[in-house]
Amino acid sequence: MTQTTAITDTITSLADVQNRFGLVRIEDDQFFGEWYEGLPEITEAEKASLDELRRRYLYHRTAGDLLEGTVLLLVVSPLLGVAGFYDPPFMIRAEPSVNLVLNDGEEVLRGRIDVLVVQSQFWVMVVESKKTALSVVSALPQALAYLMANPYPDKPVFGTVTNGDDILFVKLNQADRPQYDLSRVFTLFTSARELYSVLQILKNLGRLVFS
């Protein structure tokens, strides 16, 4: 009999996701150069939009911790808009369900991605968010599990995890064996330049996938 469990219940640590999928982190600059190489310039209008995004976020953040839904509204949604992911050729899917079939069909892990960006049928990016009280790394195990559900495993897929305060990028490649690596952590509190870098990376990933 097939056993179906929730990803949120089953995948709670990096050890869980690494052991279940044979996933290995590759700390190699050449593996995930997309987050720092050849980044596009951003316009003054885009910088102004990011400044407003950051101002609003800091205003609400100073009142206390924010829940996941508020992080999505204040940070994720406007950031994806400025990056152009709401416009052709990209499409946004909110909370799409995914199933991961393991052990020759004896086990199914089921979950919902917070936000999925697709171009045609190809996954561009998985966005996973957490409330501000949690470390950004706490979103990483589930994000990696969702990335493993990419229907085109011969293509690399990217992820973004955030708790609002911090933003981290992930690249996963299953072409030979499941491997992943991370960008550095970008911190909204530090300076507006951190958010400018985040937008440059998002635009670069969209450009590379589209090309």
Side-chain angles (χ1 to χ4, degrees):
M1 176 181 289
T2 300
Q3 179 181 3
T4 300
T5 55
I7 288 176
T8 53
D9 294 334
T10 307
I11 305 296
T12 60
S13 69
L14 285 175
D16 289 338
V17 73
Q18 289 172 349
N19 292 335
R20 280 184 172 270
F21 303 112
L23 193 56
V24 176
R25 181 177 177 185
I26 302 298
E27 296 188 77
D28 183 344
D29 290 342
Q30 300 305 310
F31 179 81
F32 190 12
E34 293 91 343
W35 76 266
Y36 63 87
E37 291 181 337
L39 300 181
E41 296 296 325
I42 60 176
T43 67
E44 292 302 316
E46 289 170 334
K47 290 180 181 179
S49 295
L50 295 179
D51 291 343
E52 182 67 9
L53 184 163
R54 183 169 180 267
R55 183 194 66 76
R56 287 175 175 165
Y57 178 74
L58 294 179
Y59 168 71
H60 290 278
R61 184 67 175 91
T62 54
D65 289 331
L66 303 177
L67 297 177
E68 179 181 330
T70 308
V71 171
L72 283 168
L73 285 173
L74 291 176
V75 179
V76 174
S77 180
L79 186 56
L80 292 177
V82 178
F85 287 130
Y86 291 148
D87 303 312
F90 304 106
M91 293 289 291
I92 293 288
R93 297 178 183 172
E95 295 194 350
S97 60
V98 294
N99 292 320
L100 286 161
V101 180
L102 306 176
N103 301 323
D104 296 325
E106 293 183 2
E107 182 181 14
V108 175
L109 300 184
R110 182 169 294 167
R112 288 188 178 275
I113 300 170
D114 287 342
V115 180
L116 176 64
V117 181
V118 297
Q119 190 269 312
S120 186
Q121 296 182 9
F122 293 101
W123 286 19
V124 177
M125 180 174 299
V126 166
V127 183
E128 180 69 12
S129 66
K130 295 293 182 184
K131 59 185 179 181
T132 53
L134 297 177
S135 163
V136 69
V137 177
S138 67
L140 190 56
Q142 290 174 30
L144 287 169
Y146 295 141
L147 290 171
M148 288 294 299
N150 173 24
Y152 295 92
D154 58 320
K155 304 288 185 181
V157 65
F158 301 94
T160 304
V161 296
T162 183
N163 62 356
D165 294 344
D166 303 318
I167 298 175
L168 177 68
F169 291 93
V170 188
K171 178 181 179 180
L172 186 143
N173 196 332
Q174 301 182 60
D176 297 317
R177 59 177 300 188
Q179 300 175 333
Y180 76 98
D181 200 11
L182 310 173
S183 71
R184 75 169 178 88
V185 174
F186 295 87
T187 305
L188 272 67
F189 270 102
T190 304
S191 75
R193 289 190 296 274
E194 291 284 281
L195 204 49
Y196 299 165
S197 296
V198 168
L199 179 61
Q200 287 180 291
I201 295 167
L202 288 171
K203 291 171 71 72
N204 193 45
L205 296 180
R207 179 180 64 179
L208 291 173
V209 171
F210 179 61
S211 62

